Amino acid sequence: MSPFDTPIERRGTDSIKWGKYAGRDILPLWVADMDFAAPPAVLAALHRRVEQGVFGYGHPWPALEESVLTHLINEYGWAIEREWIVWLPGLVSGLNIACRAIDGEVLTATPVYPPFLSAPRFSDRVLNRADLTQRDGHWQWDMEALAAATTSATRLFLLCHPHNPVGRCWNRTELQALADFAEQRDLIVCSDEIHCGLILDTDKRHIPFASLSPAAAKRSITLLAPSKTFNIPGLGSAFAVIPDAALRRRFLRAMDGIVPHVNVLGLAACEAAYRDCTDWHRELLAYLAGNRDRVAATVAACRGVAMSPVEATYLAWIDVRGLGLQNPAGHFEAHGLGLSDGSDFGATGWLRLNFGCPRATLDEALRRFSAACQAA
Ligand SMILES: Cc1ncc(COP(=O)(O)O)c(C=O)c1O
């Protein structure tokens, strides 16, 4: 039995995911956290920090920065410098700060994680939207659509890499095409790489956008966090990597007075997550890949629904347009399953299913999924 098989009761706790359907028999497979405990080394680091007992204002310390630098080298062969790091209480803050910092219109590709669509608006920026496309059952970039959506006023490109919700781990050729495009149009690329530790296909690797070339690095803001991979999003610990000093200053200026220090427990957890959890991480990926395969098999066996291969993340992006439902999310809720509504991601008729949960939960959820499809 895997440690990930152990169910942990989250009903009646502080969980947003489970609280949404409190008192109703609906399994919540929506918001992106997993129903697993954090790695033992992270829990031990948190216990040690709590034992010290003092929770004054804190700043990042050398061993923490060392764990970030070593992790990025070991996992991605990406050498960064300490000064390039800007600590943040979350990735969504980072997306909004980028929109605030860069004057001009903002480009992104849909479907996409909803804050990519709201952040430009919050900073009074015009949003340029292009759709990703599905070719041969795989999600791809449509470079023509991207070019058509871009105007002479576009200055910032929000990239989701790996992509939530379509589950692609963009490869070097695709990333280089995006880097060339950014160069031609003089765009800053804000690359949200929060899911980079969740590459499920063993023959694929995450390539940080900024690691492509010095030219790509110079126009990059990379947003990272241990939160998705090690399941600690509630601890609010994240950071941006911004190699270019002038761009980093603009980003820092946009944070002035509104972005708090990262909390000390989040920092302690980050250090341990990146340094001491390699085995836990490997086991997690194998477990999630198994869950992913179960979801794919169920979807393939149901009429009227379809999904592309999930290379990365614990999120399946499911096309339910073939079921002809007026309110897809409501229909699945009526069958005991809480999924994310594709409309929030810019794609009506799609649902996102979070398979970061014990097999027993997933199997029951998939039983309900099949029943909901049959009843449509
Ligand atoms: C692509 C992406 N970016 C950011 C976030 C959230 O980041 P944070 O909780 O650090 O603000 C998520 C959470 O699902 C995500 O999928």
Side-chain angles (χ1 to χ4, degrees):
M1 182 157 149
S2 158
F4 300 108
D5 280 326
T6 310
I8 298 175
E9 184 56 82
R10 299 185 73 195
R11 290 183 186 89
T13 69
D14 52 26
S15 164
I16 290 177
K17 186 184 190 184
W18 285 83
K20 178 172 180 185
Y21 299 112
R24 298 161 72 190
D25 180 21
I26 297 178
L27 285 174
L29 271 59
W30 64 291
V31 73
D33 66 36
M34 301 188 281
D35 293 331
F36 305 136
V42 167
L43 296 178
L46 288 170
H47 279 297
R48 279 196 302 276
R49 184 60 189 84
V50 168
E51 276 307 304
Q52 197 247 0
V54 184
F55 299 101
Y57 296 116
H59 61 68
W61 52 91
L64 162 62
E65 292 169 333
E66 205 51 51
S67 91
V68 171
L69 265 53
T70 307
H71 181 78
L72 296 179
I73 277 278
N74 289 349
E75 293 290 315
Y76 313 113
W78 185 28
I80 69 158
E81 291 176 22
R82 236 168 256 261
E83 313 78 79
W84 299 356
I85 301 175
V86 179
W87 288 91
L88 295 169
L91 269 275
V92 173
S93 304
L95 292 169
N96 282 276
I97 295 161
C99 290
R100 198 180 156 105
I102 309 298
D103 263 332
E105 299 183 5
V106 183
L107 173 68
T108 202
T110 46
V112 76
Y113 176 59
F116 280 59
L117 304 176
S118 57
R121 178 163 31 91
F122 294 157
S123 288
D124 292 327
R125 307 292 188 208
V126 172
L127 173 65
N128 310 147
R129 261 178 68 166
D131 283 336
L132 294 168
T133 182
Q134 268 186 311
R135 259 181 248 125
D136 310 324
H138 287 259
W139 287 98
Q140 320 251 331
W141 289 92
D142 180 342
M143 294 309 290
E144 281 176 20
L146 209 60
T150 307
T151 76
S152 58
T154 310
R155 281 293 151 272
L156 176 65
F157 174 40
L158 298 181
L159 170 65
C160 196
H161 170 46
H163 193 90
N164 170 9
V166 307
R168 280 294 320 277
C169 163
W170 306 119
N171 63 36
R172 188 173 294 279
T173 310
E174 290 166 318
L175 291 169
Q176 192 55 56
L178 296 175
D180 293 344
F181 179 74
E183 199 68 39
Q184 282 158 21
R185 302 297 186 112
D186 193 20
L187 306 178
I188 298 296
V189 179
C190 178
S191 185
D192 177 335
E193 305 191 5
I194 196 171
H195 293 282
C196 65
L198 293 166
I199 309 300
L200 305 183
D201 285 353
T202 47
D203 63 342
K204 299 196 171 59
R205 301 215 68 75
H206 175 74
I207 302 170
F209 175 83
S211 74
L212 285 177
S213 67
K218 194 168 167 44
R219 54 178 66 256
S220 71
I221 298 169
T222 305
L223 301 177
L224 288 163
S227 54
K228 296 290 155 182
T229 308
F230 301 96
N231 205 33
I232 48 174
L235 288 173
S237 147
F239 56 96
V241 176
I242 311 177
D244 184 72
L247 182 56
R248 197 162 61 243
R249 273 195 302 276
R250 277 159 82 186
F251 191 87
L252 285 164
R253 209 177 309 125
M255 290 168 62
D256 265 351
I258 51 172
V259 181
H261 300 288
V262 175
N263 82 81
V264 290
L265 293 178
L267 294 177
C270 179
E271 178 184 1
Y274 280 161
R275 195 188 50 216
D276 303 327
C277 301
T278 315
D279 291 344
W280 184 94
H281 182 204
R282 192 180 321 111
E283 280 176 46
L284 172 76
L285 292 180
Y287 195 84
L288 289 177
N291 280 7
R292 181 261 324 258
D293 295 345
R294 280 168 132 80
V295 175
T298 301
V299 169
C302 292
R303 242 179 342 106
V305 296
M307 65 183 259
S308 293
V310 181
E311 301 170 346
T313 79
Y314 46 76
L315 307 164
W317 181 238
I318 306 173
D319 183 357
V320 300
R321 288 171 300 178
L323 297 177
L325 299 165
Q326 282 294 326
N327 172 8
H331 175 82
F332 280 80
E333 280 174 3
H335 287 82
L337 198 50
L339 305 176
S340 300
D341 191 333
S343 321
D344 297 336
F345 297 72
T348 303
W350 297 72
L351 294 170
R352 195 190 70 173
L353 182 151
N354 171 348
F355 54 82
C357 59
R359 290 264 151 88
T361 311
L362 184 66
D363 286 346
E364 174 57 18
L366 293 176
R367 197 191 59 69
R368 295 180 184 195
F369 182 88
S370 304
C373 291
Q374 260 162 29

